[in-house]
Amino acid sequence: MADNLNITYIILGGHIQVHRYRYLYFLAILAVYIVIICCNTTIACLIVIQKSLHEPMYIFIAALLINSVLFSTNIYPKLLKDILSQNQMISYPACLFQVFIFYTLSCSEFLLLAAMSYDRYVSICKPLQYPVTMTKTTVSILLILAWLVPACHVAVAVVLNINRKLCRFTLRGIFCNNSINQLYCSSSVEISMYGVAVVINVALFPMLFILFTYAKIFRVVYRSHGEVRNKAAQTCLPHLLVLFNYTCLLFYDMVIVRLESDFTNIARFVMTLQIVTYNPLCNPIIYGLKMRDISKHLKILFFQAKIQ
């Protein structure tokens, strides 16, 4: 579809009976977005404010929560606008930009979790080397790479798709993701192979690295006394839970959508919402409740707010 300015527009056809449940959808999604912003930013700001939390582990957690806020902001404002609009559409350049942000931040999550696993590995398996290894410079480099490496990988894929010809203009989704490949007139083996390489580099390799480091950690923990085991349980299990959740969601997005599985529109709509809702909501809950130091400071914060 094109207007007088020759801008191509794509219809977001994944919405279910928007005209009938418009305001219910809007209020529900707005509430979820507000909760995501408030929960993630509260814990991230708490880590920044409290000097006792200025340790690499908590800095990586704050980065992960900020990543969730940026990830949600890439989706929810446009989604809320579409719900109130008569036509759910997006320009092709804006769609590609949304794809770029979506996959950059998605892959950044894996790299941030990989950095956290490395931090836990050094802390538990090589405690004497920890102050020398996990310096401020090291933490800063890991944070920069966690966002820069996926951005460079995904940017190349997006640039390769800019001039590809579209033969279909209705996307089976409520936002732009890899299902945009179904709209092109012909498939590109080169781009598909590059996409596989991106997934391997910024998702599969970090995941294997995480599993490797935690295997090393559990081996040391198994031979250690109770204090080390408690430390490992408190700091490592939340990371593994987040990794498992996110891997399952990304598996759906990267594989099932690309294979054009015969899901009903309602099933696809619900599963798509899970991708953009589950992790941003669960991350602050997991880290806020399972991490003892963060939980303690949160209780103090809410107690003070209650008194005032």
Side-chain angles (χ1 to χ4, degrees), residues 48-97:
V48 172
I49 294 170
Q50 293 293 333
K51 292 185 178 180
S52 62
L53 298 178
H54 290 183
E55 298 178 10
M57 176 178 63
Y58 299 114
I59 293 173
F60 289 132
I61 290 175
L64 196 69
L65 298 176
I66 292 171
N67 197 74
S68 293
V69 171
L70 296 174
F71 177 86
S72 301
T73 303
N74 179 50
I75 303 296
Y76 281 87
K78 177 66 171 70
L79 185 57
L80 290 168
K81 178 178 178 294
D82 286 339
I83 290 172
L84 294 180
S85 302
Q86 293 298 321
N87 298 308
Q88 292 73 46
M89 301 170 63
I90 185 171
S91 67
Y92 181 58
C95 187
L96 288 178
F97 180 75

Side-chain angles (χ1 to χ4, degrees), residues 1-130:
M1 298 177 63
D3 60 9
N4 294 331
L5 297 176
N6 199 29
I7 298 176
T8 301
Y9 284 88
I10 295 172
I11 298 172
L12 300 172
H15 293 272
I16 305 297
Q17 295 187 341
V18 177
H19 63 284
R20 186 174 182 180
Y21 302 109
R22 187 184 309 278
Y23 297 107
L24 177 61
Y25 284 158
F26 180 85
L27 291 175
I29 293 174
L30 179 62
V32 170
Y33 183 50
I34 291 173
V35 170
I36 289 173
I37 296 296
C38 291
C39 291
N40 284 278
T41 54
T42 297
I43 298 178
C45 290
L46 183 67
I47 293 172
V48 172
I49 294 170
Q50 293 293 333
K51 292 185 178 180
S52 62
L53 298 178
H54 290 183
E55 298 178 10
M57 176 178 63
Y58 299 114
I59 293 173
F60 289 132
I61 290 175
L64 196 69
L65 298 176
I66 292 171
N67 197 74
S68 293
V69 171
L70 296 174
F71 177 86
S72 301
T73 303
N74 179 50
I75 303 296
Y76 281 87
K78 177 66 171 70
L79 185 57
L80 290 168
K81 178 178 178 294
D82 286 339
I83 290 172
L84 294 180
S85 302
Q86 293 298 321
N87 298 308
Q88 292 73 46
M89 301 170 63
I90 185 171
S91 67
Y92 181 58
C95 187
L96 288 178
F97 180 75
Q98 191 174 56
V99 168
F100 168 73
I101 299 297
F102 180 82
Y103 288 110
T104 295
L105 297 177
S106 295
C107 295
S108 293
E109 182 122 356
F110 280 105
L111 292 178
L112 288 170
L113 289 171
M116 294 164 72
S117 69
Y118 177 69
D119 172 74
R120 291 299 84 204
Y121 167 75
V122 178
S123 175
I124 295 172
C125 300
K126 300 181 180 180
L128 297 179
Q129 300 179 21
Y130 187 79

Side-chain angles (χ1 to χ4, degrees), residues 104 107-109 111-112 115 141-151:
T104 295
C107 295
S108 293
E109 182 122 356
L111 292 178
L112 288 170
I141 291 173
L142 290 175
L143 288 175
I144 292 171
L145 290 177
W147 278 301
L148 184 60
V149 171

Side-chain angles (χ1 to χ4, degrees), residues 58 230 234 287-297:
Y58 299 114
N230 290 336
Q234 292 171 9
Y287 292 119
L289 296 179
K290 294 296 183 181
M291 304 295 287
R292 180 186 298 175
D293 290 340
I294 295 177
S295 178
K296 178 181 68 177
H297 286 293

Side-chain angles (χ1 to χ4, degrees), residues 19 45 69 90 110 117 128 137 140 142 186 190 196 202 212 226-227 232 242 244 292 306:
H19 63 284
C45 290
V69 171
I90 185 171
F110 280 105
S117 69
L128 297 179
T137 301
S140 299
L142 290 175
S186 60
E190 293 81 6
V196 172
V202 293
F212 173 77
E227 184 179 346
V242 171
F244 176 77
R292 180 186 298 175
K306 188 176 181 180

